[in-house]
Amino acid sequence: MNGTITPNSLHFERHHSGIPNIDPAQHHLTIFGMVERPLTFDYNDLLRYPMQSRVLFLECSGNSYQNTAPQAADMTCGELNGLVSSAEWTGVPLHYLLDEAGVKPSASWVIAEGADASGNNRSVPLSLALQDTMIALYQNGEPLRPAHGYPIRLLVPGCEGNLSIKWLRSLKLLDQAAHTREETSKYSDLMRDGVAGQFSLKMEVKSLITSPSGKMKLPEQGIYEISGLAWSGMGAIRGVEVSADSGATWSEAELQSEAGIYRAVRFRIPWRWTGQPAVLQSRALDSNGNLQPTRSDALRGHAPGLVYHYNGIQSWLVNEQGQVRNHYA
Amino acid sequence: MNGTITPNSLHFERHHSGIPNIDPAQHHLTIFGMVERPLTFDYNDLLRYPMQSRVLFLECSGNSYQNTAPQAADMTCGELNGLVSSAEWTGVPLHYLLDEAGVKPSASWVIAEGADASGNNRSVPLSLALQDTMIALYQNGEPLRPAHGYPIRLLVPGCEGNLSIKWLRSLKLLDQAAHTREETSKYSDLMRDGVAGQFSLKMEVKSLITSPSGKMKLPEQGIYEISGLAWSGMGAIRGVEVSADSGATWSEAELQSEAGIYRAVRFRIPWRWTGQPAVLQSRALDSNGNLQPTRSDALRGHAPGLVYHYNGIQSWLVNEQGQVRNHYA
């Protein structure tokens, strides 16, 4: 893998209750609850609305969870951190549909529900739903694939992937969150003080060196390009620094593709491997001033076993044989 | 299809002598001719160079050739104009390799040759080779597919697709063009005055309405989004205008994804169909001030039968039944 776009067939998948087989001619999206006019749309209705196309990352809130364990697992970059992908999403801005339904002033949450076996659902703050959220119909030019929510998917940019409900069938306006199963048994963040945080929706600033990375082997001493990806649910990536000495010194990498809000960017920097052991790290800074934390700072405050929203610096140890493995530094 | 990125499996293909089955371990790229140091690279050598990622369109110089015929063929937008696609290409800027080989001052052309059955080749002006040209290794994140030049493809942004030689095996520096078979029997442009133009390499400014388009049918009167793509080999798209009355009046469309040099952009504008016949057109303007010509202006000067570099305005006639077909206006 190189570049920033993930082909649809390689985009990560995570399902809570299987992939339903949906006939778009039988599928409807209903907007109801605290609205002036409950509305129902079929797939062809939605195709006639104005659309937008945006390149956006999507990350599972459990991505990189293995790095919260006490020992560094010897895995590839994809095995450790592969639950993040990028695509050009095309669809209808949700505010068009909500404006048409007429959201009542007392409404403050939207409960989005999918048409999968469990009716998987999440509560989305109305402010987020009105701002950047899209009714996604296309992914990298193609209609959505079944595994990615065909025919209709909610897409909430910058937020944990499970908020972007697949096979979307209803949006219910309420004056409170639904506290669904996904918001109580899952996706709440137990802190060290015993309090569980809910609705930690935004994914924080993060970066990864994808090459060299876990289980690769450098064939010989010499110059290599260190390259990786950075993204933030808090804004656009402003810069990425790379260290080859376990964080003692840092150098600014080049951002090789356009940065943009909620968009993954590839960074690159040349590095000479002298045959000595080296620890490679990257840390990203976003447009809101958030700097990616060290592993210990990322875990501080979290209760042991919390596996969500881990964004600590990924370290790769290159040994004298040129073998690369996951490392805690 | 929607958005601007074309999935690799749907990217257009055009081959002059089949798709070779190449083992990257046995494949080499040689730079020779008027250089200080002839160099040979294998695939793994190239993977260690600094790379760049760029979203670029690629268009066959014969794209839309059916619209040069006297009668408007009743075809879909893809059948008429499908030999253009967009991808995020990742690879090594060619100037790194040419700098290393040491191009002699007297060299002015690079002859690029592929490893397919015919050794398909083209002459690239040195100025283009040094400026934007890339040794492409990845397409939308994946290694190139065999049909797109695996393992190594030349990529000359903004230029006719056949210049981007697939299965690239050599680059020869010369002080003149090679006038290869592809530059004499093909890809020269016979003009009305009997003179044949060669090396008309850049693709000119162009746009297409992709929806509604040929062979579609509007199900009922009402509001539709007119949407399409625009690109230019002369710069970035600055604006697209749309007409629903055969060019009598024009309205500025919204550019929905980022414009950029050599990058296709999607435009969108709402339109109300009243049930009357309508002729839908789009015309694009690029950052160098080039405006897409009408069909008759695009054909002016070209000898009858010239099918390359046609960029005239595409017109779609919507009849009273809502049926859409190709139309000359």
Side-chain angles (χ1 to χ4, degrees), chain B residues 137-152:
Chain B
L137 303 169
Y138 297 89
Q139 180 178 354
N140 290 335
E142 293 177 337
L144 298 176
R145 295 182 178 203
H148 298 303
Y150 181 77
I152 301 173

Side-chain angles (χ1 to χ4, degrees), chain A residues 1-5 7 48 50-53 88 90 138 140-142 220 223-225 256 258 263 268, chain B residues 1-5 7 48 50-53 88 90 140-142 220 223-225 256 258 263 268:
Chain A
M1 291 288 300
N2 211 317
T4 63
I5 296 286
R48 288 168 59 181
M51 296 194 203
Q52 62 174 199
S53 295
E88 184 195 56
T90 297
Y138 297 90
N140 290 334
E142 292 177 336
E220 59 190 11
I223 292 180
Y224 291 85
E225 182 179 73
Q256 285 267 7
E258 300 89 341
R263 185 166 181 160
R268 305 174 185 282
Chain B
M1 292 287 300
N2 212 319
T4 63
I5 295 286
R48 286 167 61 180
M51 296 195 204
Q52 62 173 200
S53 295
E88 184 195 58
T90 296
N140 290 335
E142 293 177 337
E220 59 189 10
I223 293 180
Y224 291 85
E225 182 179 73
Q256 285 267 8
E258 299 89 342
R263 184 165 182 163
R268 306 176 185 280

Side-chain angles (χ1 to χ4, degrees), chain A residues 12 58-61 153-154 159-165 203:
Chain A
F12 85 88
L58 204 59
E59 184 179 18
C60 178
S61 68
R153 177 178 198 165
L154 193 70
C159 291
E160 51 188 21
N162 70 85
L163 208 62
S164 290
I165 292 286
M203 298 308 292

Side-chain angles (χ1 to χ4, degrees), chain A residues 16-22 114-120 167 169 181:
Chain A
H16 291 196
S17 44
I19 301 174
N21 183 6
I22 293 178
D116 51 342
S118 66
N120 191 21
W167 318 291
R169 70 174 171 199
R181 185 173 63 125

Side-chain angles (χ1 to χ4, degrees), chain A residues 5 49-56 87-93 96 132-142 155 157 261 263, chain B residues 1-5 210 225 227-229 254-259 263-268:
Chain A
I5 296 286
Y49 275 79
M51 296 194 203
Q52 62 174 199
S53 295
R54 295 180 66 188
V55 177
L56 300 165
E88 184 195 56
W89 301 92
T90 297
V92 180
Y96 292 165
D132 277 315
T133 299
M134 182 194 296
I135 301 293
L137 303 168
Y138 297 90
Q139 181 179 354
N140 290 334
E142 292 177 336
L155 203 90
I261 191 162
R263 185 166 181 160
Chain B
M1 292 287 300
N2 212 319
T4 63
I5 295 286
T210 57
E225 182 179 73
S227 173
L229 291 167
E254 191 182 358
L255 301 186
Q256 285 267 8
S257 42
E258 299 89 342
R263 184 165 182 163
V265 61
R266 186 159 282 277
F267 61 89
R268 306 176 185 280

Side-chain angles (χ1 to χ4, degrees), chain B residues 47-261:
Chain B
L47 290 178
R48 286 167 61 180
Y49 275 80
M51 296 195 204
Q52 62 173 200
S53 295
R54 294 180 66 189
V55 178
L56 301 165
F57 78 85
L58 204 59
E59 184 180 18
C60 178
S61 69
N63 190 28
S64 313
Y65 76 91
Q66 289 99 334
N67 279 339
T68 66
Q71 301 295 324
D74 182 20
M75 291 178 168
T76 67
C77 184
E79 289 164 346
L80 283 167
N81 307 295
L83 297 178
V84 60
S85 301
S86 276
E88 184 195 58
W89 302 92
T90 296
V92 181
L94 178 55
H95 68 83
Y96 292 165
L97 307 185
L98 293 180
D99 288 351
E100 199 172 329
V103 175
K104 292 188 176 172
S106 49
S108 55
W109 288 83
V110 181
I111 319 303
E113 186 177 275
D116 50 343
S118 67
N120 191 20
N121 58 359
R122 282 297 314 260
S123 309
V124 181
L126 182 60
S127 58
L128 272 183
L130 288 173
Q131 198 176 349
D132 277 315
T133 299
M134 182 193 296
I135 301 293
L137 303 169
Y138 297 89
Q139 180 178 354
N140 290 335
E142 293 177 337
L144 298 176
R145 295 182 178 203
H148 298 303
Y150 181 77
I152 301 173
R153 177 179 199 167
L154 193 70
L155 202 90
V156 192
C159 292
E160 50 188 23
N162 70 86
L163 209 62
S164 290
I165 293 286
K166 301 175 186 177
W167 318 291
L168 184 69
R169 71 174 170 199
S170 71
L171 295 167
K172 182 178 185 180
L173 279 290
L174 277 183
D175 58 2
Q176 54 185 293
H179 299 283
T180 72
R181 185 174 65 124
E182 305 301 332
E183 290 161 356
T184 50
S185 81
K186 284 202 194 76
Y187 304 128
S188 57
D189 301 342
L190 186 62
M191 307 311 270
R192 199 169 289 277
D193 61 10
V195 175
Q198 269 186 304
F199 307 116
S200 53
L201 306 176
K202 287 283 194 171
M203 299 308 293
E204 294 181 76
V205 63
K206 193 161 171 179
S207 70
L208 296 166
I209 293 172
T210 57
S211 178
S213 63
K215 302 215 167 184
M216 289 186 182
K217 187 175 186 306
L218 306 185
E220 59 189 10
Q221 296 177 26
I223 293 180
Y224 291 85
E225 182 179 73
I226 293 178
S227 173
L229 291 167
W231 63 94
S232 174
M234 310 291 199
I237 293 297
R238 276 293 163 262
V240 179
E241 291 179 312
V242 171
S243 172
D245 54 13
S246 202
T249 61
W250 296 89
S251 299
E252 190 78 18
E254 191 182 358
L255 301 186
Q256 285 267 8
S257 42
E258 299 89 342
I261 191 161

